[in-house]
Amino acid sequence: MEGYGEDSTMFGSFVGATFIALLALILLLVFNHFIPLVLHFKSAPSGCFGWPVVGETLSFLIPHSSNSIGRYGKVFKSHLFCSPTVVSCDQELNHFILQNEEKLFQCSYPKPIHGILGKSSMLVVVGDTHKRLRSQALSLVSTTKSKVGYLNDIERMAVQVMESWKGKEQIIFCEEARKFTFNVIVKQVLGLTPDEPQSIEILEDFLTFMKGLISFPLYIPGTPYARAVQARARISSTVKAIIEERKRKGANKRSDFLDMLLPVNSLSEDEKVSFVLDSLLGGYETTSLLMAMAVHFLGQSPPALEQLKSEHQNIRSNKRKDEYLNWEDYKKMEFTQNVIYEALRCGNIVKFVHRKAIKDVRFKDYVIPSGWKVLPVFSAVHLDTSLHENAFQFHPWRWEGQSQTTCKKFTPFGGGPRFCPGSELAKVETAFFLHHLVLKFRWRTEGVDDPMAYPYVEFQRGLSLKIDPN
């Protein structure tokens, strides 16, 4: 009984200590949540902080149509992603944030994203490391985008995908677009054909990786997040094995991204592997979504589809039957560019980006406190009726005579020092695919399937299309 009494006392002490520790933790979380907010309450924009710790994150991320503004005002304060936050739906403030990267603001994605993308990903690194990686990316894109071999690969793979539709009355377009963009990017980055064992292995792991990227960030074996982290590790191992094989064999004439990266001594092996993964991510998911957006909105605008078809008929009429498209043909696709820009404006593949203030920043009549997260919301500006006439209407003609590259009210590829280096490659792939699609097929959407943000954009039913050959 004495022993039992001692155990009981120890247990009681343990419970008491645990309770005190939990209480202290709760108080600390509340303290960390409220004190910074109270200190800056008068100077920050107006708004609501929501619940302690989680703030308004859950309501901010509720699934909604990607071509809608949501319920928020122009500029307001909130508490999102475990941090006090200023949310901007104002074109001037968004432009100010993007143009002052590393001066007043810095990239600041949630820590779980780092766990999946890796510490060397160009999407999460900052400062000189980002400048070095971005410079290399721009160099690769510049030497690639107009290369005959690259353009021929794009067109050949587009034709192959569409040839697989023969005899079909219905396709799931998002699946077909992803098939096309993966084939293109794995060839361009790693020099692999779609049917090679390494390509199949990478694709399987990459699909797991993508599912985890938008999952709840809980690292417990079996969860999508944990599987994504493990999938990234396997992709890294596969890419490292390819690198070692290339080194053993010496120089070759592939001229893919990896061959151009290998002699770059300023990049570590981990940075080269991360560069490959970043290229796959951008070239696979976002480009296929852009294609799906264009097809979705064109299906709702017969006049736009007819003008697009006419433009591509004119281009094809000046070429031999089996002659490949070239860079000059791409530059002639002016209305196609307008369709792409309008699909990006209406579809909003990237709705917002994560930044934080690295010092107190005064903008107009309020202050963004140092350390606060800042979310420039691109979609709100893209759909602002004071900036775009009939903003919710797909109207490609609105871009005639306008320069999109310097346009504050249009930022689908970001802006400033983090402007997407692969944007031109995405547009070329989309334009070449649309060239063959509009000349070879007619299509109509099966049922209602609008793009939804979760917060990443997707079509719930994969954009099911009824197709007929022309």
Side-chain angles (χ1 to χ4, degrees):
M1 292 294 293
E2 289 178 358
Y4 181 83
E6 290 172 359
D7 290 344
S8 179
T9 302
M10 290 174 63
F11 180 72
S13 300
F14 173 75
V15 171
T18 301
F19 175 76
I20 292 171
L22 286 173
L23 182 61
L25 178 61
I26 292 170
L27 289 174
L28 179 63
L29 290 172
V30 172
F31 179 86
N32 286 338
H33 174 81
F34 282 110
I35 294 302
L37 309 183
V38 171
L39 290 175
H40 296 285
F41 187 82
K42 291 183 180 180
S43 57
S46 60
C48 176
F49 296 118
W51 294 92
V53 185
V54 296
E56 295 188 299
T57 306
L58 297 180
S59 61
F60 187 77
L61 298 179
I62 287 174
H64 57 278
S65 174
S66 75
N67 55 333
S68 66
I69 293 179
R71 64 177 181 84
Y72 299 97
K74 285 274 188 179
V75 180
F76 61 95
K77 65 173 176 276
S78 183
H79 199 273
L80 302 167
F81 306 102
C82 300
S83 175
T85 303
V86 170
V87 179
S88 169
C89 302
D90 177 79
Q91 74 156 336
E92 293 297 335
L93 179 52
N94 285 5
H95 181 74
F96 179 75
I97 293 167
L98 295 175
Q99 296 302 316
N100 282 282
E101 179 82 23
E102 298 296 344
K103 300 173 187 173
L104 303 175
F105 303 96
Q106 194 174 70
C107 180
S108 180
Y109 282 90
K111 290 295 182 184
I113 294 292
H114 294 227
I116 294 183
L117 294 177
K119 64 180 181 180
S120 298
S121 170
M122 191 163 56
L123 298 175
V124 299
V125 295
V126 298
D128 290 339
T129 303
H130 176 261
K131 290 178 183 177
R132 183 163 46 83
L133 292 177
R134 176 177 165 76
S135 175
Q136 188 62 53
L138 289 171
S139 175
L140 290 177
V141 170
S142 177
T143 57
T144 296
K145 65 182 183 182
S146 58
K147 277 173 37 180
V148 173
Y150 171 66
L151 299 179
N152 290 356
D153 282 342
I154 293 175
E155 191 169 8
R156 186 163 48 247
M157 291 174 185
V159 171
Q160 287 173 357
V161 167
M162 291 179 211
E163 284 179 347
S164 72
W165 300 351
K166 287 181 179 178
K168 294 183 179 180
E169 296 180 355
Q170 184 175 349
I171 60 168
I172 304 301
F173 186 79
C174 288
E175 292 179 3
E176 301 300 313
R178 289 190 183 108
K179 185 191 305 179
F180 164 69
T181 56
F182 181 80
N183 292 351
V184 170
I185 199 65
V186 79
K187 177 71 163 58
Q188 183 54 44
V189 175
L190 296 171
L192 299 174
T193 57
D195 54 349
E196 290 187 60
Q198 287 173 317
S199 293
I200 297 169
E201 185 179 330
I202 289 172
L203 179 57
E204 289 177 356
D205 282 330
F206 197 74
L207 293 174
T208 303
F209 170 85
M210 287 302 305
K211 288 178 183 177
L213 195 59
I214 55 174
S215 67
F216 188 77
L218 188 64
Y219 193 93
I220 294 177
T223 61
Y225 180 80
R227 287 199 295 267
V229 174
Q230 294 159 3
R232 187 200 184 280
R234 289 193 298 271
I235 295 172
S236 297
S237 297
T238 302
V239 174
K240 286 177 181 178
I242 295 173
I243 289 175
E244 289 304 315
E245 184 181 3
R246 295 277 182 97
K247 287 179 178 178
R248 284 196 305 270
K249 291 183 176 180
N252 60 49
K253 297 181 180 180
R254 292 174 187 249
S255 295
D256 52 45
F257 279 7
L258 191 57
D259 256 8
M260 290 185 268
L261 284 173
L262 286 178
V264 180
N265 296 323
S266 61
L267 297 181
S268 68
E269 186 178 73
D270 283 341
E271 287 173 338
K272 290 174 184 176
V273 171
S274 286
F275 195 97
V276 168
L277 196 65
D278 289 345
S279 300
L280 291 173
L281 179 61
Y284 172 76
E285 186 67 17
T286 53
T287 304
S288 63
L289 260 176
L290 169 55
M291 291 166 55
M293 291 293 183
V295 168
H296 169 72
F297 289 114
L298 282 169
Q300 299 177 352
S301 177
L305 180 56
E306 191 58 36
Q307 184 165 336
L308 183 71
K309 185 176 180 179
S310 176
E311 178 173 84
H312 288 281
Q313 285 173 332
N314 289 336
I315 291 171
R316 181 51 61 183
S317 68
N318 293 317
K319 304 184 77 66
R320 298 188 307 274
K321 182 178 180 181
D322 296 324
E323 187 179 354
Y324 283 110
L325 294 168
N326 55 41
W327 188 251
E328 291 306 312
D329 293 322
Y330 172 67
K331 301 306 287 186
K332 293 175 184 175
M333 298 177 184
E334 295 180 2
F335 187 70
T336 305
Q337 294 287 341
N338 294 342
V339 166
I340 290 172
Y341 290 134
E342 188 68 347
L344 287 166
R345 186 191 68 82
C346 292
N348 292 293
I349 295 169
V350 178
K351 294 186 73 67
F352 59 87
V353 292
H354 295 255
R355 299 289 184 268
K356 73 174 179 181
I358 54 179
K359 59 179 72 173
D360 284 356
V361 179
R362 179 170 293 279
F363 184 82
K364 295 184 178 179
D365 57 350
Y366 50 77
V367 172
I368 301 173
S370 175
W372 278 36
K373 185 177 281 290
V374 184
L375 297 183
V377 182
F378 302 150
S379 56
V381 175
H382 292 167
L383 300 170
D384 189 333
T385 54
S386 68
L387 301 173
H388 306 276
E389 187 178 355
N390 298 319
F392 294 93
Q393 179 185 352
F394 179 78
H395 189 72
W397 298 273
R398 76 173 74 243
W399 298 109
E400 291 178 350
Q402 291 196 46
S403 173
Q404 293 80 19
T405 55
T406 58
C407 187
K408 293 181 183 179
K409 63 183 180 181
F410 183 63
T411 52
F413 297 111
R418 284 187 176 267
F419 185 87
C420 176
S423 59
E424 197 66 47
L425 300 185
K427 291 189 290 182
V428 171
E429 288 182 37
T430 302
F432 277 31
F433 193 93
L434 287 175
H435 173 82
H436 287 279
L437 180 64
V438 299
L439 294 181
K440 294 179 178 179
F441 289 94
R442 299 184 302 276
W443 71 88
R444 63 183 184 277
T445 306
E446 274 286 279
V448 178
D449 194 11
D450 292 323
M452 297 291 290
Y454 286 91
Y456 301 97
V457 179
E458 64 181 62
F459 288 84
Q460 290 179 291
R461 299 172 57 233
L463 192 58
S464 176
L465 302 179
K466 283 278 190 181
I467 56 172
D468 295 296
N470 280 329

